[in-house]
């Protein structure tokens, strides 16, 4: 097992993200480095999928880890898992980057709106069993639920933009997005 | 309306709301525990989707990130007891003297009393009240807008009135009874001036003497003797 406690190995064998964040909150730079080692691929992979451009994805990744560093002391365990907290920051930053970029492009073009770029599978690492269950669970969603969730999550569209793109009423998209995520949650909960 | 907001939890959890919708929903979340739980759960489901996209980051990025963190200050935790307050204050002693020492100047201070202008409106929304408005609306007023981690602060100055004011109405609401504490800093010494709470959207005060820097920190109690952390913003009113 190596030096006990050095990498804060949790019960499942993976690093204990909660413990790392707790140490980072007290200014522990080494814990921050371990957190980077643990989660940089997760953060970068999501950023890359959302913003597409690899250089921009690197910038987003840096922003995310700096926000984690700055706000570690504010992380509240009662609100959810530390890993989810990091991925939530990652998603928000990636979406902000996409929207800033789109706004800049729109003010250049001032012409026809962009085509809907439906997400293509990126060159992500082949899904491990852990990721296999989320892919399987995504298949339990209806087409509209899945499309709404994917356009929002992976393309950074707001729900009103999704409603325009899919030519559906706003309330419909609102509820599909929510129902889709609820179904995903329930499926993942069931497969644990 | 509430039912409407509730159904936005999914869109909120995947960052699919516009800016103003986010603030409206945030306000709703503050009052709806079941929504908070749902958002946390849906975020976790969404995060699982994100995790499936993992791809190794380019190697040179790590050093840049670690180096950037090294020069980045951390936000203080929220303090919930006086014991914690004392130990955290001790822990930050070093940082406190460093930021105070960095503020150049001579004697002290803000003379006279600062007026924290309180206004408890029915909706519990902070209202920028008379004393502060008087500075911002004075014929000779000058204004500076400053960005902080907690939102924007406007600093107003009127030489004719001999006053300055802080408009804090766009600062984030603080939890746990934390307040925004205004300090007047000269020659390495910080004197508490007044506290801005969630009921008080600003403060007006006589213009401090030249060489005084006005700073705001987040504090667990109003008007402590010493600041417990680094300022979220500091400004020399003479530069406004």
């Amino acid at each position: 097992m190596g030096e006990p406690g050095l990498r804060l190995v949790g019960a499942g064998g993976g690093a204990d993200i909660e413990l790392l964040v707790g140490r980072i909150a007290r200014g522990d730079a080494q814990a921050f480095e371990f957190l980077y080692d643990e989660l940089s691929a997760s953060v970068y992979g999501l950023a890359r999928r959302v913003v597409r451009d690899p250089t921009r994805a690197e910038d987003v990744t840096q922003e995310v880890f700096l926000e984690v560093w700055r706000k570690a002391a504010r992380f509240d365990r009662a609100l959810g898992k530390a890993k989810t907290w990091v991925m939530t920051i990652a998603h928000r930053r990636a979406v902000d980057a996409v929207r800033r970029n789109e706004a800049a492009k729109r003010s250049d073009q001032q012409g026809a709106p962009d085509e809907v770029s439906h997400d293509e599978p990126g060159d992500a690492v082949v899904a491990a069993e852990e990721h296999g269950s989320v892919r399987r669970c995504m298949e339990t969603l209806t087409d509209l639920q899945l499309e709404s969730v994917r356009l929002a999550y992976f393309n950074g569209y707001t729900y009103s933009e999704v409603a325009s793109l899919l030519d559906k009423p706003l309330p419909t998209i609102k509820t599909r997005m929510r129902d889709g995520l609820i179904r995903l949650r329930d499926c993942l909960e069931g497969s644990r | 309306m509430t039912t409407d907001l509730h159904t936005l939890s999914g869109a909120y959890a995947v960052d699919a709301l516009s800016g103003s919708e986010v603030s409206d929903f945030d306000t709703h979340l503050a009052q709806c525990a079941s929504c908070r739980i749902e958002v946390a759960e849906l975020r976790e489901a969404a995060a699982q989707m994100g995790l499936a996209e993992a791809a190794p980051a380019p190697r040179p990025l790590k050093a840049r990130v670690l180096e950037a963190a090294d020069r980045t200050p951390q936000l203080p935790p929220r303090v919930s007891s006086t014991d914690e307050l004392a130990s955290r204050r001790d822990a930050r002693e070093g940082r406190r003297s460093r930021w105070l020492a960095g503020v150049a100047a001579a004697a002290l201070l803000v003379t006279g009393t600062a007026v924290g202008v309180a206004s408890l409106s029915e909706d519990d929304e902070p209202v920028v009240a008379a004393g502060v408005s008087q500075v911002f609306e004075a014929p000779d007023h000058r204004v500076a807008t400053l960005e902080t981690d907690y939102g924007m602060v406007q600093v107003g100055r009127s030489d004719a009135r001999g006053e300055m004011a802080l408009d804090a109405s766009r600062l984030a609401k603080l939890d746990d009874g934390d307040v925004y504490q205004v300090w007047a800093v000269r020659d390495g010494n910080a004197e508490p001036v007044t506290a801005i709470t969630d009921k008080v959207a600003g403060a007006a005060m006589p213009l401090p003497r030249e060489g005084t820097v006005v700073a705001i920190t987040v504090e667990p109690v109003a008007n402590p003797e010493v600041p417990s952390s680094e300022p979220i913003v500091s400004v020399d009113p003479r530069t406004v």
Side-chain angles (χ1 to χ4, degrees):
Chain A
M1 191 165 123
E3 288 161 276
L6 182 62
R7 283 199 164 250
L8 303 175
V9 174
D16 188 326
I17 309 291
E18 260 78 15
L19 270 177
L20 287 176
V21 171
R23 290 197 178 185
I24 293 167
R26 294 189 280 283
D28 187 338
Q30 176 145 85
F32 180 70
E33 183 176 344
F34 288 159
L35 187 83
Y36 183 89
D37 290 340
E38 270 303 307
L39 295 183
S40 61
S42 301
V43 172
Y44 177 78
L46 175 58
R48 181 100 170 247
R49 176 81 190 267
V50 173
V51 304
R52 307 245 173 242
D53 179 81
T55 308
R56 226 173 274 131
E58 285 188 51
D59 292 341
V60 168
T61 303
Q62 174 156 331
E63 282 176 28
V64 170
F65 279 97
L66 287 182
E67 185 168 338
V68 168
W69 169 258
R70 277 175 51 238
K71 296 187 181 171
R74 300 260 156 165
F75 167 67
D76 185 350
R77 267 179 218 219
L79 300 176
K81 295 199 259 188
K83 194 166 181 179
T84 303
W85 177 61
V86 175
M87 292 302 283
T88 300
I89 293 172
H91 188 261
R92 189 166 43 234
R93 291 276 181 167
V95 163
D96 283 349
V98 166
R99 290 185 189 156
R100 275 198 308 270
N101 194 47
E102 286 303 307
K105 277 191 340 198
R106 265 197 301 274
S107 66
D108 286 346
Q109 292 167 2
Q110 278 169 340
D114 289 354
E115 279 180 25
V116 179
S117 59
H118 286 258
D119 59 321
E120 308 113 27
D123 26 304
V125 168
V126 169
E129 172 51 37
E130 193 185 306
H131 299 154
S133 58
V134 68
R135 293 191 205 281
R136 277 194 298 278
C137 282
M138 283 169 78
E139 284 164 24
T140 68
L141 275 56
T142 67
D143 288 347
L144 190 54
Q145 286 170 354
L146 186 57
E147 196 58 12
S148 306
V149 167
R150 285 168 89 170
L151 283 173
Y153 193 75
F154 291 114
N155 293 76
Y157 289 111
T158 62
Y159 80 96
S160 35
E161 287 167 343
V162 171
S164 293
L165 290 168
L166 299 182
D167 197 26
K168 298 281 183 203
L170 283 177
T172 304
I173 296 301
K174 259 195 280 188
T175 51
R176 295 298 176 271
M177 241 182 234
R178 179 167 175 258
D179 291 344
L181 287 166
I182 285 174
R183 213 178 258 210
L184 190 62
R185 174 199 71 189
D186 292 345
C187 174
L188 289 169
E189 191 68 33
S191 62
R192 245 171 246 171
Chain B
M1 190 54 153
T2 316
T3 336
D4 239 23
L5 274 179
H6 185 76
T7 56
L8 282 175
S9 61
Y12 180 85
V14 292
D15 302 303
L17 294 185
S18 72
S20 61
E21 286 169 327
V22 169
S23 348
D24 289 345
F25 198 79
D26 279 338
T27 307
H28 173 70
L29 274 186
Q31 296 142 17
C32 179
S34 63
C35 293
R36 286 198 294 275
I37 292 170
E38 182 169 301
V39 164
E41 292 174 346
L42 299 189
R43 275 181 169 160
E44 196 180 320
Q48 293 304 313
M49 283 196 305
L51 288 168
E53 302 302 316
R59 280 185 206 287
L61 179 59
K62 177 173 172 176
R64 291 204 299 277
V65 170
L66 298 186
E67 197 267 328
D70 200 46
R71 343 176 221 104
T72 303
Q74 295 180 291
L75 295 183
R78 291 191 187 93
V79 179
S80 51
S81 79
T82 40
D83 287 347
E84 282 184 73
L85 166 61
S87 60
R88 279 177 181 138
R89 194 195 296 175
D90 294 342
R92 281 191 220 99
E93 188 68 12
R95 256 192 358 229
R96 177 177 66 81
S97 5
R98 257 183 277 140
W99 82 257
L100 288 177
V103 175
L108 202 60
L109 223 27
V110 174
T111 51
T113 352
V115 180
V117 209
S119 192
L120 236 175
S121 73
E122 294 218 294
D123 323 305
D124 240 14
E125 267 185 15
V127 171
V128 181
V132 174
S133 306
Q134 272 161 15
V135 172
F136 281 99
E137 286 159 22
D140 71 329
H141 79 274
R142 303 158 72 91
V143 182
T145 303
L146 303 172
E147 290 256 19
T148 78
D149 279 342
Y150 292 79
M152 288 196 318
V153 171
Q154 292 212 298
V155 183
R157 179 179 125 211
S158 163
D159 288 333
R161 298 183 63 91
E163 290 177 348
M164 64 169 288
L166 297 167
D167 178 348
S169 56
R170 296 221 213 97
L171 285 180
K173 263 178 98 87
L174 296 172
D175 303 346
D176 296 342
D178 285 355
V179 302
Y180 292 109
Q181 180 64 37
V182 182
W183 304 88
V185 188
R186 283 183 78 99
D187 204 18
N189 283 310
E191 288 270 321
V193 172
T194 188
I196 296 175
T197 68
D198 62 355
K199 302 294 186 291
V200 176
M205 65 202 81
L207 262 178
R209 263 189 286 176
E210 232 184 284
T212 308
V213 166
V214 172
I216 299 178
T217 63
V218 174
E219 298 294 338
V221 287
N223 298 309
E225 280 180 20
V226 288
S228 68
S229 53
E230 293 179 359
I232 67 173
V233 68
S234 54
V235 59
D236 178 348
R238 305 284 160 168
T239 64
V240 169

